[in-house]
Amino acid sequence: MNSKYFPSARFCFALVACSLFSVAMAQSIRESLFRELDVVREQAQTAKADILSPKKFAAGERAYGKAEDDINEGRADRARTSVEKATVAFRDALETTELAAVSFASTLEARDRAIAANAARLEPELWEDAEDKLNKAALKLESGTVDSARRPAKEAETLFEQAELAAIKTAIVGEARQLIAAADSAKIDKFAPATLDKSRQLVATAEALLDEDRYSTARPRVLAADAEYEARHASYIASQAEAVKDKALSVEALILNWETPLRELLSSLGGSTDMTAGPDGPAAAAVKRATELKELNTDMATRLVLLEEELGTSSQIAREAELLQQQLREIESLFQPGQAIVVRQGTDLILRLVGLSFPVGQATIQTDYYGILRQVQEALKVYPDSTVVIEGHTDSQGSPATNMALSQQRADAVREYLLANSTNVSPSAVRAMGYGSERPIASEATAEGRAQNRRIDVVIRDARAREL
């Protein structure tokens, strides 16, 4: 290589070294200047200063951005001035936020409930109106006029409550509403008016129950499911009637289609399938055949006497089994997909709260999960005489002692929430137990398995059937 190129290479190396040194110096200066500012800014973000003190928080953000630009441009003195401005703005925002937390306490609680109901997604217009009113109240509070902030804050509270209720209704009867709307568009009312009207009445009843108590959702969910069925049933009836009207299906074919499954059922019982005079004759023959089969099994009834003495009559056993299944369905209907898995284990019922999670290393219940815990409260009402164990579980990451303590703290947090927000739960009937990583339900070798092991289980002891 020609030696004349060596000076140029050394020069380039020097430039690179100088550039790296400059970057390191800028980073060092930034860490020094921003250390306190970053702490104050994070405190303001955590306290929701962007919502409760929007003007001051925005001023802090502008100054923060200006300070970063100054650092990047090598203007440390200017950056220092911008950092001071941002720090003051964020501290002022924090002071206003503290005042807002007291002045707007009920409004913020209503907002948290609306968040738990997913109002921002399900009822965006009401949510935006409520947020706008809260923003106006916050701006007035920032200007120092606490009295003038009270009115828009109260209006915001009302809107948040309306958004919460509307979101709960949409989550429960929204599918039925859509099916009815589609049926109306298709003019199904012309062919199946009674069935479609039944669906409408079921929706109206469910909404009326939610108006009375928006947190008692078990019965409205059942009604909503029935409403969905009736709307779909109406669509089927209308499709058959329209096919007959358009001569795509004859009345004869329609009747034969209905007879086919009935004939198959009658055939399996060994009864008559003669439909020449309609279904009444074959149905009576099927009842007679069923009676004969029952008489043939009388010896089996004798064999069951001893079991009946131990477990109760067969009708009692069947009734208890039916009640258990009914109550299990009621519990399952309380939770949306991804919120909880309901597992029966002997006479115990386990509510595995898969939708509830905690910040890493913490035991604080975030407001996003209040909705799940409210549904747990509803589930506990189904078994009022049972004892409850809140179990906290972690994965195997970290030390066993730390995991055991953290799991206990999280179980305690859930217990305290349930007791603080329930009037029908006795403190003596609810215990909290932390098991750390001792009881995994999935492999610890994968991230997915570890995520399943980090859980809260609500165990309802001796959850036996009861008359509803």
Side-chain angles (χ1 to χ4, degrees):
M1 182 180 289
N2 194 322
S3 62
K4 68 180 181 178
Y5 293 108
F6 284 112
S8 177
R10 287 195 297 271
F11 179 71
C12 290
F13 177 78
L15 284 177
V16 171
C18 182
S19 176
L20 291 174
F21 178 76
S22 298
V23 170
M25 285 295 294
Q27 183 63 29
S28 177
I29 293 172
R30 189 199 184 286
E31 290 178 358
S32 176
L33 285 177
F34 280 66
R35 185 176 294 112
E36 180 185 0
L37 172 58
D38 284 336
V39 172
V40 176
R41 182 178 184 236
E42 184 177 357
Q43 290 173 344
Q45 291 171 333
T46 302
K48 300 178 182 177
D50 58 325
I51 297 171
L52 301 177
S53 184
K55 190 173 181 180
K56 293 174 182 177
F57 184 84
E61 287 289 279
R62 287 194 298 271
Y64 189 96
K66 179 66 168 57
E68 287 191 317
D69 292 341
D70 291 338
I71 286 292
N72 292 334
E73 294 170 5
R75 300 173 178 176
D77 291 339
R78 290 188 180 183
R80 186 173 287 104
T81 300
S82 297
V83 165
E84 291 174 356
K85 289 181 179 179
T87 303
V88 170
F90 286 134
R91 288 192 184 282
D92 289 345
L94 274 171
E95 290 182 6
T96 303
T97 300
E98 291 174 0
L99 177 60
V102 176
S103 302
F104 303 159
S106 60
T107 302
L108 295 176
E109 289 174 1
R111 185 177 187 271
D112 287 341
R113 292 193 297 270
I115 290 173
N118 206 6
R121 181 177 67 85
L122 297 176
E123 295 294 334
E125 291 186 7
L126 275 172
W127 172 262
E128 289 299 330
D129 288 345
E131 288 284 88
D132 287 344
K133 286 293 183 183
L134 180 58
N135 181 259
K136 290 178 181 178
L139 290 173
K140 288 183 178 296
L141 191 66
E142 279 188 314
S143 67
T145 53
V146 178
D147 290 339
S148 63
R150 289 198 177 98
R151 180 175 178 180
K154 192 62 179 178
E155 292 173 347
E157 179 179 348
T158 300
L159 288 170
F160 281 128
E161 290 174 347
Q162 292 174 358
E164 179 201 13
L165 177 58
I168 291 172
K169 287 182 177 180
T170 298
I172 293 174
V173 301
E175 178 67 16
R177 288 174 181 165
Q178 292 178 9
L179 290 170
I180 292 170
D184 287 338
S185 297
K187 298 182 180 179
I188 285 174
D189 216 0
K190 178 179 179 181
F191 298 104
T195 305
L196 191 57
D197 188 57
K198 186 176 181 180
S199 179
R200 294 191 186 99
Q201 291 175 4
L202 288 165
V203 169
T205 302
E207 291 185 334
L209 289 174
L210 291 170
D211 285 333
E212 293 176 5
D213 185 353
R214 65 187 67 183
Y215 304 123
S216 295
T217 61
R219 181 60 180 161
R221 288 182 188 280
V222 172
L223 293 171
D226 291 344
E228 292 172 22
Y229 166 80
E230 294 298 344
R232 291 190 176 96
H233 192 196
S235 296
Y236 168 75
I237 294 172
S239 69
Q240 298 297 293
E242 192 164 13
V244 172
K245 176 178 176 293
D246 295 339
K247 298 183 179 180
L249 180 69
S250 67
V251 173
E252 177 188 22
L254 179 64
I255 293 174
L256 291 175
N257 288 343
W258 290 345
E259 286 182 351
T260 297
L262 179 58
R263 288 169 64 89
E264 292 175 353
L265 175 62
L266 294 169
S267 178
S268 67
L269 287 173
S272 171
T273 58
D274 183 357
M275 298 285 184
T276 54
D280 292 345
V287 171
K288 181 180 178 182
R289 179 58 179 162
T291 302
E292 292 172 352
L293 291 173
K294 183 178 180 181
E295 291 174 353
L296 289 173
N297 289 325
T298 53
D299 60 329
M300 186 63 71
T302 302
R303 297 177 188 179
L304 290 174
V305 169
L306 294 177
L307 285 176
E308 289 180 348
E309 290 176 353
E310 180 180 354
L311 302 176
T313 65
S314 58
S315 61
Q316 290 172 332
I317 297 170
R319 177 56 180 163
E320 181 174 4
E322 180 183 352
L323 284 173
L324 284 171
Q325 288 299 316
Q326 184 177 351
Q327 289 164 2
L328 184 61
R329 288 193 299 270
E330 180 181 354
I331 297 299
E332 289 176 335
S333 71
L334 292 172
F335 299 95
Q336 298 177 10
Q339 286 188 328
I341 297 174
V342 184
V343 180
R344 178 165 285 282
Q345 195 172 79
T347 59
D348 295 344
L349 195 71
I350 301 175
L351 309 180
R352 184 151 291 151
L353 306 185
V354 295
L356 172 64
S357 61
F358 294 84
V360 176
Q362 298 182 30
T364 302
I365 301 174
Q366 298 174 308
T367 56
D368 292 350
Y369 304 117
Y370 287 175
I372 296 177
L373 295 180
R374 279 198 294 270
Q375 300 309 91
V376 172
Q377 293 170 237
E378 290 298 315
L380 297 183
K381 292 179 182 179
V382 179
Y383 305 99
D385 300 323
S386 298
T387 58
V388 179
V389 180
I390 313 297
E391 295 184 354
H393 302 273
T394 69
D395 59 26
S396 61
Q397 303 294 303
S399 71
T402 299
N403 287 336
M404 186 65 72
L406 182 60
S407 66
Q408 183 65 54
Q409 291 166 6
R410 289 176 173 176
D412 287 337
V414 173
R415 178 181 183 272
E416 290 170 6
Y417 179 93
L418 293 177
L419 292 178
N421 293 277
S422 300
T423 58
N424 63 318
V425 178
S426 170
S428 62
V430 184
R431 293 187 298 121
M433 293 291 295
Y435 292 100
S437 59
E438 294 179 354
R439 298 185 178 184
I441 58 174
S443 171
E444 283 289 313
T446 65
E448 181 180 358
R450 290 191 295 273
Q452 293 181 48
N453 291 333
R454 297 189 298 270
R455 68 194 190 277
I456 290 290
D457 286 348
V458 178
V459 182
I460 304 174
R461 299 293 189 196
D462 198 26
R464 296 182 180 273
R466 65 176 180 83
E467 293 292 338
L468 297 177

